[in-house]
């Protein structure tokens, strides 16, 4: 019997493997072809002395593998970092974003200058033109029950 002759079940299996390989290969290539986008997002430039100022590095369509030091801001102290990530699939397009946020606590009230800066992110850089941060008196926070909201509070 000739080894080149395939039974119908084997041929169907080979066709399925071929089609799945092409299908998943397309998605892998489409995902790799999206360019990495790096952005620097500055927090509000007016905060109370009991609030945090933040700088966020955001990477889209690539993982956040490494990043440089966040800038020092005179009058504010580094308070810690947090990270987040998200992946979205819309109409077959896969997009992802990763971010790291540096928080700063004000040492006193006043006006402080964040100079223009550049931070290394993966194999590229993110930059910011800087800003002026105004720290005012502490802001009042209302104590609300996070599990219940009274609809008549606003009346």
């Amino acid at each position: 019997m000739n080894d080149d002759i395939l039974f119908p079940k084997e041929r169907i299996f080979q066709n399925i493997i071929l089609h799945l390989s092409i299908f998943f290969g397309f998605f892998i290539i489409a995902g790799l072809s999206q360019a990495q986008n790096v952005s620097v997002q500055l927090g509000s430039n007016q905060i109370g002395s009991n609030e945090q100022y933040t700088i966020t590095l955001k990477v889209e369509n690539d993982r956040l593998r490494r990043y440089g030091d966040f800038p020092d801001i005179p009058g504010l102290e580094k308070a810690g970092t947090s990270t987040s990530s998200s992946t979205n699939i819309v109409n077959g397009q896969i997009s992802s974003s990763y971010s790291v946020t540096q928080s700063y606590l004000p040492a006193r009230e006043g006006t402080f200058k964040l100079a223009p800066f550049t931070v290394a992110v993966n194999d590229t850089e993110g930059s910011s033109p800087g800003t002026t941060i105004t720290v005012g008196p502490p802001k009042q926070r209302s104590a609300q029950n996070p599990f219940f909201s009274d609809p008549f509070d606003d009346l």
Side-chain angles (χ1 to χ4, degrees):
M1 184 159 202
N2 190 349
D3 289 337
D4 293 336
I5 298 174
L6 296 176
F7 293 104
K9 288 182 183 180
E10 291 173 341
R11 189 175 306 216
I12 292 171
F13 181 72
Q14 283 182 344
N15 282 337
I16 290 172
I17 295 296
L18 175 66
H19 285 94
L20 286 176
S21 298
I22 292 170
F23 180 76
F24 286 115
F26 172 76
F27 282 109
I28 290 170
I29 291 170
L32 294 175
S33 66
Q34 294 179 348
Q36 168 183 299
N37 183 22
V38 175
S39 62
V40 177
Q41 300 168 345
L42 303 179
S44 173
N45 60 356
Q46 293 190 359
I47 60 172
S49 61
N50 59 340
E51 295 181 310
Q52 295 182 352
Y53 180 76
T54 59
I55 298 175
T56 301
L57 301 177
K58 186 174 184 179
V59 176
E60 295 177 332
N61 300 320
D62 197 358
R63 290 187 53 106
L64 181 60
R65 296 182 304 275
R66 61 184 170 278
Y67 57 92
D69 293 333
F70 283 87
D72 291 323
I73 307 173
L76 285 86
E77 298 176 10
K78 290 181 180 178
T81 59
S82 61
T83 59
S84 66
S85 66
S86 69
T87 301
N88 297 308
I89 302 173
V90 178
N91 294 332
Q93 293 283 60
I94 301 171
S95 64
S96 62
S97 69
Y98 296 84
S99 64
V100 60
T101 300
Q102 173 69 60
S103 298
Y104 297 83
L105 289 174
R108 62 185 186 285
E109 293 180 19
T111 302
F112 307 100
K113 177 97 171 124
L114 170 59
F117 66 93
T118 301
V119 179
V121 180
N122 294 343
D123 298 326
T124 187
E125 293 181 332
S127 61
S128 169
T131 190
T132 300
I133 304 160
T134 303
V135 178
K139 293 201 176 171
Q140 290 284 13
R141 298 187 181 182
S142 60
Q144 292 182 337
N145 184 343
F147 302 107
F148 175 75
S149 171
D150 187 350
F152 299 106
D153 281 346
D154 295 333
L155 298 179

